[in-house]
Amino acid sequence: MATPIQKPSSPRQQLGQIVHLGLSSFLNTHHKEFSSKFQILRPSESKFPLDQFFTAEAQNTQAAICSGGFKLSADILRHLPSLRLIVATTSGLNNIDLSECRKRGISVINAGNIYSADVADLAVGMVIDLMRKISAGNRFVKTGLWPKQGDYLLGSKLGGKQVGIVGLGSIGVEVAKRLEAFGCKISYYSRKKKPCVSYTFYSNIHKLASVSDILVICCALTEQTRHLINREVLLTLGKEGLIVNIARGAIIDEKELVRCLLQREIAGAGLDVFEHEPRVPQELFGLDNVVLSPHFAVYTEGASRHLEEHLIGNLEAFFSNRPLLSPVLDDE
Amino acid sequence: MLARVARSAASEPFISCLTRTHHHIFPVLTNQIQFSRHFNFPTRKNSPSPFAAAAKMEDVRVLMICPMNSYLEQELDKQFKLLKLWAHPQKQEFLKQHSESIRAVVGNATAGADAEMIEALPKLEIISSFSVGLDKIDLIKCKEKGIRVTNTPDVLTEEVADLAIGLMLAVCRRICECDKYVRKGMWKLGDFKLTTKFSGKTVGIIGLGRIGLAIAKRAEAFGCPISYHSRSEKPNTNYKYRASLIDLASNCDILVVACALTPETHHIVNREVIDALGPKGILINIGRGPHVDEPELVLALVEGRLGGAGLDVFEKEPEVPQQLFDLNNVVLLPHVGSGTIETRKAMADLVIGNLEAHFMNKPLLTPVV
């Protein structure tokens, strides 16, 4: 719900002061417009360690932008005593200590639906790539093998396949809508059954894996979902099964995933996220049945524009004491 | 009776023999002959009777032009006398040797039966293509000579449409390029650049047939507005019709070729169309290589006048212009549009089903001529 956030009275500033926690290539692209609207503190560009920087520069800073890779811990929050609002540039909030924010009365906004279409597009792109061997076929042609080796391997029909969506949030819903148009049958696993949804609900991840040909991971990373996809789930998915992860690396037990791929316990995987980015298990590099991407599901020029609008809109509202544009999230 | 029928068959055209001597037993067949003569259908000169055909199908010589599917080969081998043209280095000699006995030809998207081959096979009755495209068959010659032609529509529609969307996503979102980026260890050095959003982009379809419609249905799920160009406007669609291809190319983000290859559509995507599509535009070809002026396409991509391309077909397969190999905004596939295990089996079953129907005098399943 969008409500004005009461700020303690402070000297009126020409430009609102924001501390930018972490690095963001998005924001660097639109640096100029953003800089012109706010006074931005960039601790990542300072030669001083973070705590010293905050103590020296950010004691009165009331708003922060937090990028996905930055661990916004309780300790960091202690160094930002005036903080009232955090605007995350991501949909996921697993890097932010939400319970500490709550204790301190700091409101947190995430990126909401800005990225849902783009992330869903990548998930579907990976599913089709795996089923129809697009990246592998592209390599086959570009290394000059077609005239030498003749026809390439046959792929697998997408229509009629059972797709299991893990987490039917805004991204999961967009993935489902798209894959339905290809004739896929959709089921999902979620904490609670969603009302007004015609897809089959499973309250147990193993059951979902047992009925699915393709699992698409779309849920948030929390303590409950860490390593949700373990060896048992992968074996249940089976030798013809595919898995696509565009959520967070740690939702899958990565060591077990690699093992299952090497032992052909599952048919293939599409991975945009990994447990220790940017490190990617090297054993995957030689496999033709995996598609790998560098956590870039949100990196489109369209999403970049929307993010900028989202940040500027909410921060301007905050500094003018107007209702925020996006809902403030509760720590669940 | 069968023996008498069989002896008659040796001396006169079988159908007229049957109708003359046994019209009271085969009234339907008699009617069929009268029907076909009345409507001037091409009459088959050497049409077998149902009985003889069923019994002797394994003697029917079927010529397969090139390797296309091992399941199809096995089934053809079981049911007919299969001759494999590619297994014989002296193709002309081989054709001469068997020219009086070949009654059926099985071709595909790569090789079919041109006028020369049709002339070389005087006993040819049917060409059953392992493809939906018919550009490799001289249809006019077939009509002239009363040779039946069948293809494999519908069973591959969804497959080809799936691949078209897969190519659009691969090009827009640089999926293949990023995969290479990660495998080369480049991610540790820095993030990848911004890519092009796919959802909401305008998709322009050349040819709104079965495949074009299937592509439209899928693209709509991504919120893509659809426009199309074809010989005439289609009733019962909400998609925007563009009477000129230049108009379509100027007003879409992604142009996809989904029409049949005919003399009219040869090089339909030429330099003018490519320039209209522009430096941010993307071309997807899941039709036939000759739909696109390939040298012009290569030039436009190398010079940056076209934003990107996803190509499953080429003018001289399996040769692909090498200048495209290093372009990261181009995704190339080895003609896999219908290339799934399930679909190729369904196509093979149609080829065999059509041949069986023909040699058993039943209606063809998917006739074109």
Side-chain angles (χ1 to χ4, degrees):
Chain A
M1 234 175 2
T3 49
I5 295 172
Q6 293 306 315
K7 304 194 303 294
S9 57
S10 54
R12 215 180 118 81
Q13 287 171 303
Q14 194 78 17
L15 294 177
Q17 189 184 73
I18 305 168
V19 59
H20 180 188
L21 304 171
L23 299 164
S24 172
S25 30
F26 267 1
L27 298 180
N28 290 342
T29 314
H30 296 276
H31 181 89
K32 289 189 185 115
E33 181 169 5
F34 213 56
S35 297
S36 68
K37 290 191 182 287
F38 307 101
Q39 186 204 351
I40 305 173
L41 306 176
R42 298 182 199 278
S44 57
E45 289 171 16
S46 160
K47 53 183 184 241
F48 296 109
L50 282 181
D51 52 352
Q52 280 185 38
F53 181 93
F54 294 144
T55 308
E57 308 280 343
Q59 292 303 289
N60 294 325
T61 311
Q62 296 175 17
I65 301 170
C66 186
S67 297
F70 186 86
K71 193 162 154 56
L72 216 180
S73 61
D75 190 51
I76 300 272
L77 290 168
R78 268 194 286 280
H79 285 83
L80 295 165
S82 302
L83 207 57
R84 285 284 152 277
L85 172 68
I86 296 169
V87 183
T89 63
T90 54
S91 303
L93 295 171
N94 49 290
N95 53 314
I96 299 176
D97 189 334
L98 294 172
S99 71
E100 187 69 22
C101 289
R102 202 152 200 243
K103 269 193 217 134
R104 292 172 168 272
I106 301 171
S107 302
V108 181
I109 300 177
N110 74 346
N113 293 346
I114 294 175
Y115 306 128
S116 301
D118 287 307
V119 177
D121 288 355
L122 183 69
V124 174
M126 283 186 161
V127 167
I128 306 176
D129 191 316
L130 288 167
M131 296 293 274
R132 302 299 300 274
K133 304 186 192 297
I134 296 182
S135 286
N138 182 52
R139 282 194 290 273
F140 179 76
V141 175
K142 288 188 176 184
T143 47
L145 291 176
W146 192 10
K148 296 183 190 151
Q149 292 189 8
D151 283 344
Y152 194 55
L153 300 166
L154 293 179
S156 209
K157 189 176 175 67
L158 186 50
K161 290 292 186 296
Q162 299 277 356
V163 172
I165 310 225
V166 180
L168 201 71
S170 50
I171 294 173
V173 153
E174 294 297 320
V175 172
K177 189 172 94 181
R178 284 154 174 73
L179 287 175
E180 271 192 305
F182 293 80
C184 294
K185 313 247 165 49
I186 312 288
S187 341
Y188 70 102
Y189 161 81
S190 187
R191 280 167 302 189
K192 289 188 291 242
K193 186 166 196 249
K194 307 278 174 181
C196 314
V197 153
S198 56
Y199 312 134
T200 309
F201 169 67
Y202 290 94
S203 56
N204 179 295
I205 186 69
H206 298 275
K207 198 72 180 71
L208 183 72
S210 73
V211 303
S212 300
D213 300 304
I214 305 165
L215 277 184
V216 184
I217 314 301
C218 302
C219 58
L221 174 62
T222 63
E223 278 315 302
Q224 291 74 42
T225 62
R226 180 171 296 277
H227 284 198
L228 172 72
I229 309 298
N230 54 22
R231 183 174 175 84
E232 216 186 314
V233 173
L234 292 169
L235 292 179
T236 310
L237 180 60
K239 294 189 194 294
E240 309 289 312
L242 297 173
I243 187 160
V244 168
N245 190 2
I246 43 72
R248 286 289 180 267
I251 296 169
I252 302 181
D253 182 338
E254 197 162 276
K255 278 209 184 72
E256 284 306 330
L257 174 65
V258 173
R259 202 169 295 164
C260 285
L261 283 164
L262 293 175
Q263 293 170 351
R264 297 180 199 268
E265 298 290 358
I266 62 169
L271 309 169
D272 186 44
V273 286
F274 304 85
E275 287 213 63
H276 306 286
E277 296 168 14
R279 280 200 335 255
V280 175
Q282 297 216 348
E283 300 95 313
L284 300 179
F285 292 177
L287 299 178
D288 251 358
N289 59 339
V290 302
V291 179
L292 308 169
S293 58
H295 199 158
F296 84 139
V298 305
Y299 280 11
T300 68
E301 88 292 336
S304 177
R305 267 196 313 274
H306 291 141
L307 173 65
E308 192 192 21
E309 285 160 14
H310 168 83
L311 291 175
I312 293 174
N314 278 296
L315 288 163
E316 278 184 338
F318 174 75
F319 287 116
S320 336
N321 250 329
R322 281 184 281 112
L324 298 176
L325 307 183
S326 308
V328 170
L329 298 160
D330 278 325
D331 178 22
E332 287 185 48
Chain B
M1 184 191 80
L2 265 179
R4 187 149 39 98
V5 158
R7 277 199 298 275
S8 304
S11 57
E12 65 173 298
F14 195 80
I15 295 297
S16 57
C17 162
L18 258 187
T19 55
R20 179 176 58 74
T21 57
H22 296 96
H23 62 88
H24 56 288
I25 299 170
F26 303 108
V28 171
L29 198 51
T30 311
N31 290 341
Q32 278 184 337
I33 301 301
Q34 287 169 347
F35 175 78
S36 63
R37 281 186 183 145
H38 179 73
F39 286 103
N40 213 28
F41 274 28
T43 50
R44 299 195 292 271
K45 288 179 207 152
N46 300 298
S47 307
S49 79
F51 296 112
K56 294 193 165 193
M57 216 149 55
E58 58 196 43
D59 287 340
V60 170
R61 272 144 173 82
V62 175
L63 178 72
M64 200 173 187
I65 306 289
C66 58
M68 47 190 87
N69 182 274
S70 43
Y71 165 76
L72 177 60
E73 264 179 59
Q74 279 162 32
E75 292 301 306
L76 286 172
D77 210 26
K78 270 188 223 161
Q79 297 197 42
F80 303 96
K81 184 104 181 78
L82 181 64
L83 304 172
K84 300 179 192 177
L85 184 61
W86 72 90
H88 300 269
Q90 307 295 333
K91 291 186 170 47
Q92 294 305 325
E93 279 305 309
F94 181 77
L95 279 179
K96 261 200 206 136
Q97 207 184 333
H98 294 275
S99 63
E100 291 297 319
S101 60
I102 291 172
R103 293 167 67 188
V105 161
V106 172
N108 69 351
T110 315
D114 57 12
E116 203 187 320
M117 173 162 305
I118 293 168
E119 286 297 347
L121 303 173
K123 298 292 196 299
L124 185 60
E125 296 169 31
I126 179 168
I127 301 171
S128 190
S129 193
F130 185 68
S131 70
V132 69
L134 296 159
D135 43 286
K136 294 283 193 244
I137 299 173
D138 191 326
L139 295 172
I140 295 174
K141 199 94 205 162
C142 289
K143 280 197 184 101
E144 260 174 42
K145 291 188 168 276
I147 296 169
R148 306 304 306 275
V149 178
T150 67
N151 64 349
T152 60
D154 297 322
V155 293
L156 48 64
T157 300
E158 290 179 355
E159 230 68 308
V160 178
D162 290 353
L163 194 78
I165 304 289
L167 279 170
M168 291 182 202
L169 285 163
V171 175
C172 285
R173 300 298 300 273
R174 304 296 176 104
I175 296 177
C176 309
E177 192 189 346
C178 277
D179 177 273
K180 193 165 133 189
Y181 186 83
V182 173
R183 287 179 200 240
K184 281 166 96 171
M186 313 248 309
W187 191 10
K188 291 187 189 155
L189 305 175
D191 281 338
F192 199 73
K193 55 185 183 247
L194 290 184
T195 60
T196 303
K197 189 185 182 79
F198 173 65
S199 278
K201 287 289 188 294
T202 302
V203 172
I205 306 178
I206 308 177
L208 204 67
R210 285 172 291 243
I211 294 174
L213 279 170
I215 293 172
K217 175 175 149 206
R218 284 151 176 73
E220 279 190 302
F222 294 80
C224 296
I226 308 293
S227 45
Y228 71 100
H229 168 73
S230 63
R231 282 167 299 190
S232 57
E233 192 166 357
K234 308 277 173 185
N236 306 324
T237 79
N238 289 330
Y239 306 138
K240 174 121 182 98
Y241 175 65
R242 298 273 182 192
S244 105
L245 181 51
I246 299 290
D247 207 18
L248 182 72
S250 311
N251 290 290
C252 71
D253 300 303
I254 302 170
L255 184 66
V256 53
V257 185
C259 56
L261 180 64
T262 64
E264 292 76 41
T265 62
H266 182 267
H267 281 196
I268 195 173
V269 178
N270 55 18
R271 187 183 170 115
E272 220 188 325
V273 172
I274 292 168
D275 284 343
L277 190 48
K280 292 209 165 132
I282 291 171
L283 177 71
I284 304 291
N285 192 2
I286 43 81
R288 287 287 181 265
H291 276 126
V292 175
D293 183 338
E294 203 161 272
E296 284 294 346
L297 174 65
V298 173
L299 209 57
L301 286 165
V302 164
E303 291 175 3
R305 286 184 286 111
L306 182 64
L311 309 169
D312 185 42
V313 287
F314 305 87
E315 290 215 68
K316 298 191 186 70
E317 294 169 20
E319 301 298 330
V320 175
Q322 296 212 353
Q323 303 97 304
L324 299 179
F325 287 7
D326 286 330
L327 298 180
N328 282 318
N329 56 342
V330 172
V331 175
L332 307 173
L333 291 177
H335 202 154
V336 292
S338 61
T340 67
I341 296 166
E342 299 91 331
T343 292
R344 290 286 168 87
K345 179 175 184 300
M347 288 164 67
D349 287 340
L350 255 187
V351 167
I352 293 161
N354 274 302
L355 291 174
E356 277 174 354
H358 172 78
F359 290 110
M360 295 188 62
N361 249 335
K362 292 193 182 138
L364 296 179
L365 307 178
T366 48
V368 176
V369 171

